[in-house]
Amino acid sequence: MDQTDVMHALRVAIEADVPVLLWGEPGVGKTASVNALASALGWPIETVLASLREPSDFAGLPVVIDGDMRFAPPDWATRLAGAERALCFFDEVSTAAPSVQKALLRVVHERVVGDLAMGAGVRMVAAANPVDVAAGGWDLTAPLANRFCHLDWPIDPGTIAIGLTGHWPDPVQVSIDDDWERHLGRIAATVSGFIMARPHLAHSRPDEESDAGRAWPSPRSWAAVIRVLAVAEGTVISDEARMALIAGLVGDGAAVEFATYERDLDLPDPEALLSDPGAYVRPRRDDQVHAVVAAVVAAAVRSPTAARWEAALRVFIAVAEAGNVDIGAGGVRQLAPLRPDGAAAPEGLAVFGPILQAIGLL
């Protein structure tokens, strides 16, 4: 994977509001590229050297105001709070002491510094040198590592050679689909089905401290996978960049297993099922059935009309009649409280019997 792929992956993660950590040797252009990206986007950027900071620089400096204890934010956070869109860039993270890394947790995940909440348009990017080459390096703590998408920054001699002549490539060569959120439901259904099929990968923190300081699967990181893949769905990026995003969040092993599962899934279009619920054909495996039901729920919720609500329930009836009553009932449970005005319960719901009585639909 070359630098262009990494920059495309970085751009997708930024759009998905997933914090990114760039790993690479010193002097290979990580900081310069992030600054160039901010300039190309027209966003302000605040660079914070994590290695030179104290925990209070992120948790806030305690001060007494009118008899109350407050935690005052630093200037860089105050400037970011006033920006509509901006990059917050933490450099040299791998040389930040564990106490500083702990203070970074809330900043990275919630955009909160002291008592100051920065705007939703602020995106978090960080850079780090591998611990074995960092001056006084520390392994990232597992909680902090699990909040990032980890991307390895390659040394690309061709790009460097051209760039040194003054022709560095445009850091933004990817067009983001403004309506990428429409893909969230379908991709969430795929990830949900995968977790059903591979439950050991729902949360798998590595035993080795060094491995826990990089990407590993957790509910948080799988939720981030859904977001980056939804953005990537309507974006022209390479397969390598897409795979790097997945592996950067859940690790190489889980990413390979997910990619294989996704390739072999072959799910029907949920919109086609809502148009013709009778076209449902039971997939081979229960996890695939689960993914179909989740996709239909997501499609019905995205555009909630009485006709689509009724059609979704007819799909779930077909699921039950094909031998998966429990999975079909799960879809009914999710949609029953969202019944639109004028929607009528279709015939055949009695197949769910006591389940529907328990939730008040019968």
Side-chain angles (χ1 to χ4, degrees), residues 171-187:
V172 183
Q173 301 178 19
V174 58
S175 177
I176 302 295
D177 180 2
D178 292 336
D179 192 27
W180 60 264
E181 291 185 349
R182 74 181 188 277
H183 303 296
L184 284 170
R186 179 180 57 78
I187 294 172

Side-chain angles (χ1 to χ4, degrees), residues 194 198 200-201 222 243 252-262:
F194 174 74
R198 308 285 196 280
H200 65 285
L201 290 176
W222 282 117
M243 191 64 178
D252 291 337
V256 169
E257 288 199 47
F258 175 76
T260 302
Y261 175 87
E262 186 181 33

Side-chain angles (χ1 to χ4, degrees), residues 119-316:
V122 177
R123 298 293 184 261
M124 301 293 169
V125 180
N129 301 325
V131 174
D132 57 340
V133 300
W138 301 80
D139 287 316
L140 257 64
T141 61
L144 182 60
N146 195 240
R147 283 164 167 78
F148 283 111
C149 176
H150 300 256
L151 298 176
D152 289 321
W153 188 263
I155 299 176
D156 188 343
T159 300
I160 293 172
I162 296 173
L164 290 174
T165 67
H167 300 285
W168 294 100
D170 182 355
V172 183
Q173 301 178 19
V174 58
S175 177
I176 302 295
D177 180 2
D178 292 336
D179 192 27
W180 60 264
E181 291 185 349
R182 74 181 188 277
H183 303 296
L184 284 170
R186 179 180 57 78
I187 294 172
T190 302
V191 173
S192 177
F194 174 74
I195 297 301
M196 291 285 290
R198 308 285 196 280
H200 65 285
L201 290 176
H203 187 277
S204 182
R205 180 186 179 278
D207 294 329
E208 293 293 331
E209 186 175 354
S210 58
D211 293 335
R214 295 295 293 258
W216 48 275
S218 73
R220 178 193 292 120
S221 56
W222 282 117
V225 166
I226 293 170
R227 292 186 63 82
V228 296
L229 291 186
V231 176
E233 187 72 13
T235 304
V236 181
I237 62 173
S238 68
D239 291 340
E240 290 80 5
R242 187 179 188 273
M243 191 64 178
L245 286 164
I246 304 171
L249 286 162
V250 297
D252 291 337
V256 169
E257 288 199 47
F258 175 76
T260 302
Y261 175 87
E262 186 181 33
R263 184 190 64 220
D264 297 339
L265 194 56
D266 192 26
L267 292 180
D269 182 354
E271 292 295 338
L273 288 178
L274 288 175
S275 298
D276 182 12
Y280 171 78
V281 175
R282 186 188 185 281
R284 299 189 309 274
R285 307 190 310 266
D286 284 352
D287 60 284
Q288 294 173 307
V289 178
H290 178 86
V292 170
V293 169
V296 169
V297 169
V301 169
R302 185 171 60 250
S303 181
T305 66
R308 289 168 65 84
W309 186 86
E310 293 170 14
L313 292 189
R314 285 196 290 272
V315 173
F316 304 149

